Amino acid sequence: MKYLTGLLSNEAGREILELWQEYENQSSNEAKYVKDLDRLEMIVQAFEYEEMEEKPGHLQEFYDSTKGKFNHPEILQLVATLNKERDFGKKKACDKDLSGEQPT
């Protein structure tokens, strides 16, 4: 990061490096919020891949790596909604398997 910010003007490079360090150190509410968004984006992407590949639950390790790490109330609500959708998809796939239906 120091190399990249060194390519910028002194003022811009210094500001970006400070913001990056703030994010990495989780030293402000904004940095914590952005970290929550970062983790949320990762599990949303995992959810989309599972749906696209029709393999519900296949990418569980991404969910496990974020479990208990969300803090912001709005992000917690989004995660809960995503988990409900995912659980529904897993149940639907299980029901399909039990009925002997062929996957599409």
Side-chain angles (χ1 to χ4, degrees), residues 34-98:
V34 170
K35 188 68 162 184
D36 271 3
L37 287 172
D38 206 15
R39 289 182 180 123
L40 174 64
E41 188 275 332
M42 181 178 67
I43 63 172
V44 166
Q45 194 170 51
F47 175 77
E48 289 174 348
Y49 285 142
E50 286 178 339
E51 282 199 325
M52 185 173 53
E53 295 175 5
E54 296 182 8
K55 294 182 180 179
H58 181 69
L59 298 173
Q60 184 62 41
E61 64 270 14
F62 291 97
Y63 294 86
D64 292 345
S65 72
T66 62
K67 191 171 185 172
K69 294 185 178 179
F70 294 100
N71 298 298
H72 195 278
E74 290 175 5
I75 303 297
L76 284 165
Q77 187 176 6
L78 290 170
V79 170
T81 300
L82 179 66
N83 285 329
K84 283 180 190 174
E85 274 192 56
R86 186 169 182 254
D87 289 344
F88 178 75
K90 289 192 303 189
K91 182 184 178 325
K92 198 166 119 179
C94 182
D95 291 347
K96 192 183 277 190
D97 288 345
L98 291 174

Side-chain angles (χ1 to χ4, degrees), residues 5-16:
T5 56
L7 299 173
L8 304 170
S9 70
N10 284 341
E11 187 178 329
R14 187 175 26 253
E15 182 179 0
I16 290 173

Side-chain angles (χ1 to χ4, degrees), residues 4-25:
L4 291 175
T5 56
L7 299 173
L8 304 170
S9 70
N10 284 341
E11 187 178 329
R14 187 175 26 253
E15 182 179 0
I16 290 173
L17 184 58
E18 286 173 7
L19 289 169
W20 175 255
Q21 289 170 337
E22 181 181 318
Y23 170 79
E24 286 295 302
N25 297 328

